[in-house]
Amino acid sequence: MASSDLPGVPLFINGEFVQSRTTQWRDVINPATQRKLARVPLATPAEVDAAVAAAKAAFVTWRKTPIGTRARIFLKYQQLIRENMKSLAATLTAEQGKTLADAEGDVFRGLEVVEHAAAIGNLQLGELAANVAGGVDTYTRLQPLGVCAGITPFNFPAMIPLWMFPMAIACGNTFVLKPSEQDPMVTMELVKLAHEAGIPPGVLNVVHGAAEVVDAICDHLDIKAVSFVGSTRVGTHVYERASLAGKRVQCMMGAKNHAIVLPDAHKEQTLNALVGASFGAAGQRCMAVSVAVLVGEARQWVPDLVAKARGLKIGNGTDNLDLGPVISCAARERIEALIERGQGEGATLELDGRRPPMAGELASGNFVGPTVFSGVKPGMSIYEQEIFGPVLCLAEAATLDDAIAMINANPNGNGTAIFTQSGAAARKFEEEIDVGQVGINVPIPVPVPMFSFTGSRASKLGDLGPYGKQVVLFYTQTKTITARWFEDDVSTGVNTTISLR
Ligand code: NAD
């Protein structure tokens, strides 16, 4: 089908779904089949301005909308997401490639944040200290900032937009979202449901695009805060550019997540966890396990691990096997090139997933099967770079101390895990590891929303995480009020000191 005949993904401005007037579009493609699904606009500067202007105008009333009104919209919204779970997952699988079961997981982990947003009445609370001086009270208000913006990656097109706009809006802000241009369709279905749930016109807006639209968001004087999730390269650019323009910015970025396997670990459970966390979603998770550090006798487990990886089934996400395709031809080629470099740099290719045989229209899909390297060492490209594909690197360490030192020497700090039956070893790991999210016999320790996502070091710029308690602080300004009310017949006289009297 000619691109111009494809349905255009709409913008959402001031409560209306509108077609962009741009001349620049890109196709949204099913990564399993290369079928074209839609085309997405790269919005014009005027359209970005219109979205921000709508958000700015809506803020005037939304910021004063009662907490209960805001909360009830999210109560309704969570119900609509639940009712539409199957169709949301189907759209997600068609444009992103992950299995239907995993697509439901993607929506569900976002839904949990929506549920949390509905509890905003218990989250956006100030503090009060009475009588800080005679008749003087000090208290705080957590006030919304104004127009906030979110920029999201392709790998969780439901969960990550839901990390952002529900909490921002629940706190009283208005929002401009820029979804990934690679898979914007499920995000738009979620936006439609948010509209149905009662989010008023202008409170949520969506513009599509790539680098130019992102730069326009970073520079826009009427945007007060930017939340970004994506690669380290782009996130660093966004952090610097938006900070320079005076905005509050948080960037959740790339990773290289290590799991330590101690010889006392529950072998079967550990191997299952490693294989699921390395190859699920075709390795395209920022919290995927990409390096397993086998300690001592656990080094003998390589053949069993490889056998499990070999047993995984690859196919169209709609067939609900173990893993689907990677997002694009370019991503597949990049992963294949890194596998070749790994071989060239001396790692042992235990399992080669390149070009798995696929039948029918899947033959042109972006498939890479589970791939395992052993003998991986720091300095190799497959160790230093985030592969973002179904490739597991196996490294070795003689002791737990050596394994911890290896992880702490890696610049990334998104997630890590340890597999052991020893409480003492787990506790030592938890205390000494310099990574912001730690799993103990849990391979992908993404916190639930009553906590916050707390990646660290090179995986994160900005101090506060994207959901949970921390994001309430990110999306609000603390205003501290010190108040005295005069009694009619009392005078305290002139006070020329700094002390409160
Ligand atoms: P990406 O950085 O290519 O894209 C993210 C966003 O930035 C998209 O909306 C895209 O349109 C925009 N963008 C792309 N190039 C740009 C440029 N030159 N200038 C300005 N904006 C630009 O990331 P991706 O490939 O979509 O997602 C995968 C990456 O995201 C991986 O590195 C992964 O680890 C990371 N990620 C991190 C987390 C986390 O929480 N730490 C979560 C999910 C994904």
Side-chain angles (χ1 to χ4, degrees):
M1 191 192 285
S3 293
S4 54
D5 295 334
L6 292 167
V9 180
L11 309 173
F12 184 61
I13 298 177
N14 206 21
E16 289 183 18
F17 291 92
V18 290
Q19 284 296 322
S20 172
R21 293 176 175 270
T22 187
T23 54
Q24 291 180 283
W25 299 78
R26 57 164 292 170
D27 295 343
V28 181
I29 295 170
N30 182 323
T33 61
Q34 308 299 352
R35 266 198 231 166
K36 294 178 180 176
L37 303 173
R39 60 177 195 154
V40 61
L42 308 187
T44 65
E47 288 164 345
V48 176
D49 282 345
V52 178
K56 188 178 178 185
F59 182 62
V60 175
T61 45
W62 183 247
R63 70 193 293 263
K64 294 186 180 172
T65 301
I67 291 175
T69 307
R70 283 183 264 143
R72 280 188 285 277
I73 289 173
F74 290 97
L75 281 174
K76 175 76 180 162
Y77 190 30
Q78 65 81 27
Q79 179 199 348
L80 290 175
I81 293 173
R82 274 176 204 286
E83 288 169 4
N84 289 274
M85 179 65 88
K86 294 282 176 211
S87 63
L88 289 164
T91 302
L92 201 162
T93 292
E95 63 178 344
Q96 204 278 346
K98 64 180 70 174
T99 63
L100 280 171
D102 199 29
E104 285 198 29
D106 189 331
V107 178
F108 183 78
R109 295 295 313 245
L111 171 64
E112 289 181 309
V113 182
V114 176
E115 291 168 349
H116 201 237
I120 191 65
N122 298 318
L123 297 170
Q124 197 176 357
L125 296 175
E127 297 174 314
L128 186 145
N131 291 317
V132 295
V136 178
D137 304 324
T138 297
Y139 51 94
T140 58
R141 287 171 175 248
L142 304 188
Q143 290 199 304
L145 302 176
V147 182
C148 300
I151 300 159
T152 57
F154 79 83
N155 65 329
F156 283 100
M159 177 183 80
I160 292 179
L162 292 176
W163 280 4
M164 296 181 180
F165 71 80
M167 289 302 291
I169 289 173
C171 286
N173 299 286
T174 56
F175 208 81
V176 177
L177 177 68
K178 206 299 286 174
S180 171
E181 70 279 26
Q182 298 194 80
D183 48 11
M185 292 165 63
V186 69
T187 314
M188 293 315 288
E189 287 185 17
L190 286 164
V191 167
K192 189 162 167 281
L193 296 178
H195 181 54
E196 282 173 37
I199 291 185
V203 172
L204 173 62
N205 305 272
V206 185
V207 290
H208 300 289
E212 278 179 34
V213 170
V214 168
D215 286 351
I217 287 171
C218 292
D219 296 345
H220 206 296
L221 294 177
D222 288 332
I223 295 177
K224 303 299 176 198
V226 175
S227 180
F228 170 92
V229 181
S231 64
T232 304
R233 182 181 63 82
V234 179
T236 305
H237 164 76
V238 165
Y239 190 82
E240 288 171 355
R241 189 160 179 148
S243 298
L244 204 61
K247 298 181 195 347
R248 189 176 284 189
V249 195
Q250 57 170 203
C251 295
M252 278 53 67
M253 306 185 294
K256 197 78 185 175
N257 306 306
H258 296 59
I260 294 180
V261 182
L262 295 187
D264 71 352
H266 188 300
K267 184 174 173 186
E268 179 68 10
Q269 296 273 39
T270 300
L271 297 184
N272 286 340
L274 285 179
V275 166
S278 306
F279 305 119
Q284 301 171 110
R285 295 182 181 131
C286 67
M287 291 287 279
V289 171
S290 49
V291 183
V293 188
L294 308 178
V295 178
E297 293 298 302
R299 288 178 274 196
Q300 314 300 321
W301 297 1
V302 174
D304 292 333
L305 181 64
V306 171
K308 274 196 189 288
R310 187 178 279 118
L312 294 183
K313 296 201 166 31
I314 183 164
N316 197 333
T318 50
D319 294 334
N320 241 342
L321 302 173
D322 296 309
L323 59 152
V326 297
I327 187 71
S328 63
C329 297
R332 177 180 55 74
E333 283 164 13
R334 192 181 151 273
I335 294 162
E336 289 171 347
L338 272 163
I339 295 172
E340 195 171 324
R341 276 179 81 172
Q343 277 184 299
E345 289 174 356
T348 306
L349 186 54
E350 302 274 355
L351 180 62
D352 186 355
R354 285 173 292 183
R355 302 295 175 134
M358 306 300 295
E361 64 174 353
L362 302 188
S364 53
N366 312 317
F367 290 98
V368 184
T371 298
V372 182
F373 278 106
S374 65
V376 176
K377 296 191 171 62
M380 293 178 177
S381 305
I382 50 172
Y383 182 80
E384 300 298 333
Q385 293 190 33
E386 182 182 38
I387 302 174
F388 226 57
V391 181
L392 175 61
C393 296
L394 301 178
E396 297 185 357
T399 64
L400 175 58
D401 281 311
D402 291 347
I404 290 174
M406 181 181 186
I407 298 173
N408 286 350
N410 188 286
N412 295 287
N414 221 33
T416 189
I418 189 167
F419 290 87
T420 180
Q421 296 294 81
S422 158
R427 189 175 185 284
K428 174 186 169 73
F429 173 74
E430 171 187 330
E431 190 152 276
E432 295 182 11
I433 205 72
D434 191 6
V435 173
Q437 300 177 110
V438 176
I440 296 173
N441 298 314
V442 173
I444 304 188
V446 176
V448 290
M450 44 288 236
F451 296 88
S452 299
F453 192 93
T454 55
S456 66
R457 294 199 282 139
S459 300
K460 161 113 166 271
L461 283 167
D463 300 322
L464 299 168
Y467 56 79
K469 287 180 191 159
Q470 291 192 2
V471 98
V472 175
L473 294 178
F474 180 77
Y475 284 125
T476 58
Q477 171 66 43
T478 303
K479 185 182 274 180
T480 311
I481 299 111
T482 302
R484 158 180 281 149
W485 293 97
F486 298 120
E487 288 176 29
D488 288 345
D489 54 351
V490 177
S491 170
T492 50
V494 175
N495 176 14
T496 57
T497 75
I498 186 68
S499 305
L500 284 171
R501 281 198 207 131

